[in-house]
Amino acid sequence: MFGECHAHLFMDGINYRQAVNDHKNGVNVARVREHLEDYRACGITYIRDGGDHFGVSLRARELAEEYGITYRTPVFAIHRAGHYGGIVGKGARTLQEVKSLVQEVRRERGDFVKIMVSGIMEYSGFGVLSEETLEREWISEMIHIAHEEGFAVMAHANGADAVLAAVEAGADSIEHGNYIDRECMSAMKENGCVWVPTIVTTRNLIGCGRYDDKVLAQIYDMECENLANAWAMGVPLALGSDAGAYMVPHGKGVVREYETFCEVLPEVSLYKLDARLQAGEEKIRRVFAQER
């Protein structure tokens, strides 16, 4: 089985508030072990966490070896204060504060740096994001600071402007990447940036009753079309499900993501699909492993 290249072990895929309550007064080790067992049951031996501000991913890394799992974490994600990202990390008001947070990642023995450069999808309508993209200069400097400190960069980015700015600035992976275009895909291929599309975060919502299924279907169709185009263009790809997000369970989330790839790319042999995904994951395993 492939690894899970984008997870949040502090969340449970069911109730975010309950998940926060589980850890806000200290890491709930029993809950962490429960999720690690979910991965072991699915044959998953590699997890790249997206960070949290409760210390959950750090504790999970300590425990993961007992479950035969290699665990990587940025400790927490870094966002610009006043913008999206507080759910998984810490904010910086200035670029000097970004540097200070990157140095904190080093002190905490983080394996890489994760940055947030856009909002998230709003399922109220097609094409809607929760906020505007950060300025290109901010994105570039955040990535530059992390690289100068010796870390690979995992970039949460949605929207063509955010993704293109992050890729051209040297991001090592793009997470989610909704509403991208062919220019973004070409840049990812040219720069060797791995795309982790996390399509099941939308797919698993269809039929749940929380959102309009017509809107979800439109977004999902767009995601599938982008995946097919990225495959055809030779973009580096890897599996990640954003496990822990609503309706995305730990372990089974990335299994469903793989099934989605198979369905979107029915004419691609499993041998070619698996080889390409394995190459993307191997690059992530190699690059996102402590200081570069």
Side-chain angles (χ1 to χ4, degrees):
M1 181 58 202
F2 292 97
E4 167 63 88
C5 292
H6 190 123
H8 292 281
L9 216 77
F10 87 98
M11 295 190 284
D12 62 11
I14 301 171
N15 187 319
Y16 174 74
R17 290 183 179 178
Q18 182 58 53
V20 169
N21 286 333
D22 283 343
H23 301 292
K24 68 179 182 180
N25 295 318
V27 177
N28 185 323
V29 174
R31 187 70 69 206
V32 172
R33 288 189 177 278
E34 176 184 325
H35 295 328
L36 290 173
E37 182 57 41
D38 290 336
Y39 285 103
R40 178 163 64 180
C42 290
I44 295 167
T45 60
Y46 176 82
I47 300 171
R48 185 177 62 146
D49 201 290
D52 64 274
H53 50 229
F54 300 105
V56 176
S57 62
L58 280 176
R59 191 73 176 99
R61 188 176 64 182
E62 294 174 357
L63 298 170
E65 187 175 351
E66 298 179 28
Y67 296 81
I69 295 171
T70 298
Y71 205 99
R72 300 294 183 226
T73 176
V75 187
F76 53 83
I78 300 172
H79 67 279
R80 188 174 183 178
H83 293 264
Y84 177 76
I87 186 175
V88 290
K90 300 183 179 183
R93 293 167 296 178
T94 66
L95 290 170
Q96 182 58 46
E97 289 184 359
V98 170
K99 185 172 183 178
S100 295
L101 288 175
V102 170
Q103 292 170 341
E104 183 177 343
V105 170
R106 170 175 286 115
R107 291 194 298 273
E108 295 287 344
R109 296 179 55 249
D111 300 298
F112 56 92
V113 166
K114 181 184 177 184
I115 63 171
M116 317 291 283
V117 302
S118 77
I120 57 174
M121 282 200 300
E122 293 283 1
Y123 290 114
S124 58
F126 183 80
V128 181
L129 296 177
S130 63
E131 63 178 67
E132 296 293 322
T133 299
L134 296 186
E135 299 94 329
R136 176 175 281 265
E137 292 76 12
W138 249 83
I139 295 172
S140 180
E141 283 302 309
M142 290 176 80
I143 294 171
H144 175 72
I145 289 167
H147 281 171
E148 284 293 297
E149 293 291 328
F151 291 105
V153 176
M154 175 193 213
H156 162 110
N158 289 301
D161 290 345
V163 171
L164 187 60
V167 174
E168 291 184 341
D172 299 281
S173 76
I174 294 293
E175 314 302 307
H176 318 306
N178 292 291
Y179 304 119
I180 61 174
D181 56 23
R182 287 178 177 272
E183 185 178 10
C184 294
M185 297 177 199
S186 179
M188 283 191 277
K189 179 184 178 182
E190 181 178 344
N191 289 276
C193 179
V194 182
W195 183 28
V196 184
T198 66
I199 295 175
V200 292
T201 54
T202 298
R203 177 177 181 171
N204 285 10
L205 293 175
I206 297 174
C208 77
R210 177 176 284 194
Y211 306 102
D212 186 336
D213 278 351
K214 291 183 179 179
V215 174
L216 292 173
Q218 188 178 11
I219 294 171
Y220 179 63
D221 288 345
M222 172 270 299
E223 294 174 333
C224 292
E225 181 179 357
N226 281 344
L227 174 58
N229 289 336
W231 175 272
M233 292 177 68
V235 175
L237 298 163
L239 295 174
S241 70
D242 207 10
Y246 184 60
M247 297 292 292
V248 186
H250 290 289
K252 293 180 180 178
V254 74
V255 174
R256 187 71 182 276
E257 183 79 357
Y258 176 67
E259 292 171 353
T260 302
F261 271 62
C262 292
E263 292 174 15
V264 172
L265 304 166
E267 297 180 359
V268 177
S269 71
L270 287 180
Y271 174 80
K272 289 183 178 179
L273 177 62
D274 289 0
R276 180 101 157 255
L277 290 175
Q278 192 64 54
E281 181 179 317
E282 285 300 323
K283 183 169 185 178
I284 282 177
R285 284 177 178 251
R286 182 177 70 255
V287 173
F288 290 83
Q290 298 184 359
E291 296 179 40
R292 304 195 310 173

